[in-house]
Amino acid sequence: MSISVEKMIDRKEIMTGRVLHVTVDTVRINDSDITSTREAVWHHGASAILPLTDDGRIILVRQYRYAASQPMLEVPAGKIEMDGENPDICASRELEEEAGVTCGELISLGFVYTSPGFCDEKIYLYLARQLKQSKQHLDEDEFINLERYTPKEMEQLILDGGIMDAKTIACFAKARPYLRGV
């Protein structure tokens, strides 16, 4: 049998937090009598931005990630604050908050699902150009170092395991056509 749809027929709420919502759902597979259980994480989504300077360097942020138990090198990114917030607005806000720059041109690169086997989180990807220096607006518990890399250096970091963050790798891959000749 090929699965074309799963319909939720019962839901148990496990947790509702500031960032995510967790449920255990009973689903009906296709229109058959077959049911199964799905654990799911529901998330408002996020925006991730690859900021490209006029001299062809990419601004990345290095910050400690609790779940990974280590500092990670990533593109600036952040969660959509509420259902219905425009991902473009989120991207512009996060770019300034984390990287301390604003942009004259924000190019949408589409979106990716982070891990659709259990989570509905979409990360909207962007390329930011025509950057202007501003000021970081970090949260009290947020500590971020800014680093700049050429596209070639960033590609090597990805290949060598210096960048292991999926949204960063996806954003770089989707921005690649814009980086030719940089």
Side-chain angles (χ1 to χ4, degrees), residues 25-175:
D25 297 345
T26 302
V27 299
R28 181 172 314 288
I29 299 173
N30 294 333
D31 287 323
S32 70
D33 292 331
I34 301 171
T35 61
S36 190
T37 302
R38 302 288 185 244
E39 296 173 355
V41 176
W42 309 98
H43 190 283
H44 289 296
S47 293
I49 314 94
L50 190 138
L52 183 64
T53 64
D54 290 341
D55 67 353
R57 297 177 86 68
I58 297 163
I59 301 172
L60 297 178
V61 298
R62 188 178 299 273
Q63 60 184 322
Y64 188 83
R65 291 302 194 178
Y66 178 77
S69 301
Q70 64 182 312
M72 304 282 288
L73 191 57
E74 309 171 13
V75 293
K79 67 183 185 332
I80 292 172
E81 293 294 337
M82 64 197 101
D83 273 335
E85 181 184 29
N86 184 317
D88 296 10
I89 292 170
C90 175
S92 295
R93 180 186 68 245
E94 292 296 333
L95 180 64
E96 186 170 17
E97 282 181 13
E98 292 193 357
V101 295
T102 60
C103 69
E105 183 179 28
L106 187 65
I107 300 167
S108 174
L109 303 172
F111 68 87
V112 293
Y113 283 100
T114 58
S115 192
F118 70 92
C119 184
D120 77 333
E121 180 186 22
K122 280 184 187 176
I123 297 187
Y124 296 86
L125 308 174
Y126 296 89
L127 172 66
R129 298 193 292 200
Q130 302 169 13
L131 304 180
K132 290 192 179 8
Q133 192 62 47
S134 182
K135 182 181 169 206
Q136 284 180 306
H137 304 280
L138 301 177
D139 294 335
E140 183 179 285
D141 64 347
E142 198 171 27
F143 301 93
I144 292 176
N145 294 330
L146 299 178
E147 301 179 20
R148 295 171 185 244
Y149 296 93
T150 65
K152 187 173 182 105
E153 290 169 333
M154 188 169 172
E155 183 173 33
Q156 196 59 52
L157 282 164
I158 291 168
L159 293 173
D160 293 343
I163 295 176
M164 298 171 286
D165 174 62
K167 74 180 171 302
T168 299
I169 295 168
C171 200
F172 181 72
K174 298 275 257 177

